[in-house]
Amino acid sequence: RWRQVAIKAISVDQRKDKLPELGDPVLIRLKDGTVRLAVLDTDDNSDAYFWSDNYSYETISGWDTTHWMPIPLLESNDNE
């Protein structure tokens, strides 16, 4: 059995000061409700940020993302 772990998603609009570390894989939610695995990246020539989905080789605009969250760790419950 797996123990449930509650992790809250962080709003990109409300918490621009709390973005993940560059290159750390996270889950992002897009405006259309899709959830993707991606990493945060920045453009060297500007302050703009974007998300890279390395599995589909896609770049996702920061404007298309509503929330992000760390990937939850699964913990086994050894007592059951």
Side-chain angles (χ1 to χ4, degrees):
R1 297 192 80 159
W2 296 99
R3 188 180 317 163
Q4 288 183 333
V5 179
I7 298 176
K8 291 185 179 181
I10 300 165
S11 170
V12 174
D13 292 332
Q14 296 174 357
R15 297 297 311 264
K16 289 188 189 310
D17 62 319
K18 190 167 172 134
L19 291 172
E21 293 293 322
L22 296 178
D24 284 353
V26 296
L27 297 174
I28 60 172
R29 184 179 186 274
L30 305 179
K31 288 181 179 177
D32 68 1
T34 304
V35 175
R36 304 277 293 271
L37 177 65
V39 297
L40 184 67
D41 205 347
T42 59
D43 183 351
D44 293 335
N45 299 323
S46 72
D47 292 335
Y49 70 90
F50 57 92
W51 303 89
S52 295
D53 182 337
N54 293 334
Y55 298 100
S56 66
Y57 302 104
E58 240 183 291
T59 299
I60 302 161
S61 166
W63 302 110
D64 292 331
T65 307
T66 63
H67 293 78
W68 73 272
M69 66 183 285
I71 298 172
L73 298 175
L74 298 176
E75 299 177 10
S76 69
N77 188 349
D78 295 332
N79 296 332
E80 294 184 22

